[in-house]
Amino acid sequence: MKHKIVVTGGLGFIGSHVVVELQNEGFEVVIIDDLSNSSEAVLKGITAITGIQPVFEKLDLRDKNLVIDFFKRHHDVMGVIHFAASKAVGESVNLPLLYYENNLNTLIYILQELHKKEAAHLIFSSSCTVYGQADVLPITESAPIKAAESPYGNTKQIGEEIISDTCKVSDNLKAIALRYFNPIGAHESAKIGELPIGTPQNLVPFITQTGKGLRAELSVFGNDYPTEDGTCVRDYIHVVDLAKAHVAALKRLIGGANADNYEVFNIGTGKGSSVLEVITAFEEVSNQKLNYKLVDRRAGDVVAAYADTTKANNVLGWKAKLNLKDALASAWKWEQSLK
Ligand code: UD1
């Protein structure tokens, strides 16, 4: 029998790629999404890739009674991969309560239902933002958690603590938090990808939209950082590699291979790239020059962050296979496929 897995936020950027990889690996997927930052059309893309239409329920996880009812109807759920959350850093500063409600209440309601089950497995989507500006690079999972720069970042830190505390008192619940570095790219089929609403806040969608002529130019935020070329350094991870890490984590839990009931893994490539290196790589894969200008630093940006992926490689048995150019080529193909 197929294991039934719930993917909350399964129509979003990362969620949709995870649904594809789960289906490819033989899992039965039920998607929950409130469509607040996604579109039902993503279902078509998933189905076109895998040939399997996942079950989809439009549901607002902030409504506790709806969550209780969902798990009653789907009593055979083996695990939950929880993406449903708000993710705009700047917006979270202005709307902190919305972020705490969206990102933490929903997590608590899901945990309350999983806690009731005989066996339950949870994968939580966390972020390298929990490390802030790490003192040592590359960043290992034992690097100290720094005070969050934004309510968004805080919801990731508190979310991890809520799960860790719950796992301590719940023998039946096992969980893994994956701390993503910078997810970019799209499925190679260009049938699913990132769909930013309005002006993209993240680097790669802004680059591809500029390459396509939808934006006049990219602003590079700061060129006086203490890095080789003065621009910030990040670890850009292909979303398909990232999606595969979720399947590896889920299999680890379901197979009972976990060392603790709550575990944390960094998910990145281990390689840092500067903003200018990303631009150059994009110019190469798109075979065109990109319009950009150097402007002041953006508030809240850390200088450099890239992962030590030793734990994910050795313990999870997962390693990123695709590189920056692969990811940018897929993001460019996706951008060009959009009307
Ligand atoms: C951001 C969030 C992080 C979140 C992640 C999700 C902040 C401070 N951090 O990471 O918490 O987990 O998104 O994907 O917002 N850049 C430009 N021009 C642009 C856009 C970005 O130069 O128009 C630069 C930034 O200064 C940064 C790099 O590109 O150096 C990457 O930026 P971005 O894609 O926004 O990701 P992060 O800021 O690393």
Side-chain angles (χ1 to χ4, degrees), residues 199-214:
T199 308
Q201 305 299 309
N202 294 116
L203 179 63
V204 169
F206 204 106
I207 286 179
T208 57
Q209 289 195 5
T210 307
K212 199 180 176 184
L214 299 175

Side-chain angles (χ1 to χ4, degrees), residues 13-14 87-90 126-130 149-150 152-153 156 180-184 194 200-207 217-222 225 231-236 273-275 278-279 293 295-303 305:
F13 171 42
I14 303 172
K87 61 167 186 179
V89 177
S126 190
S127 167
C128 67
T129 194
V130 301
E149 291 269 353
S150 69
Y152 160 77
K156 294 300 175 191
Y180 316 149
F181 281 67
N182 287 56
I184 61 164
E194 194 167 3
Q201 305 299 309
N202 294 116
L203 179 63
V204 169
F206 204 106
I207 286 179
E217 60 185 352
L218 168 78
S219 293
V220 174
F221 298 136
Y225 284 102
T231 63
C232 292
V233 168
R234 297 286 184 275
D235 182 340
Y236 295 93
S273 305
S274 73
V275 177
V278 175
I279 293 171
K293 64 176 175 192
V295 302
D296 286 348
R297 294 180 176 194
R298 177 172 75 176
D301 272 341
V302 300
V303 180

Side-chain angles (χ1 to χ4, degrees), residues 13 17 21 49 182-196 204-205 207-209 212 236-242 278 281-287 321-338:
F13 171 42
H17 289 83
E21 295 307 320
I49 294 168
N182 287 56
I184 61 164
H187 193 265
E188 60 176 6
S189 66
K191 292 187 190 306
I192 54 172
E194 194 167 3
L195 282 169
V204 169
I207 286 179
T208 57
Q209 289 195 5
K212 199 180 176 184
Y236 295 93
I237 168 91
H238 196 305
V239 66
V240 172
D241 273 332
L242 175 63
V278 175
F282 174 76
E283 290 180 333
E284 282 176 32
V285 300
S286 67
N287 207 18
K321 295 203 174 87
L322 302 162
N323 62 27
L324 179 64
K325 277 195 189 173
D326 297 325
L328 290 169
S330 68
W332 180 228
K333 187 175 170 191
W334 164 247
E335 184 71 60
Q336 288 176 300
S337 79
L338 297 172

Side-chain angles (χ1 to χ4, degrees), residues 117-140:
K117 295 173 75 68
E118 262 174 44
H121 310 100
L122 175 76
I123 310 293
F124 179 62
S125 108
S126 190
S127 167
C128 67
T129 194
V130 301
Y131 300 118
Q133 180 55 68
D135 303 319
V136 181
L137 294 170
I139 303 170
T140 67

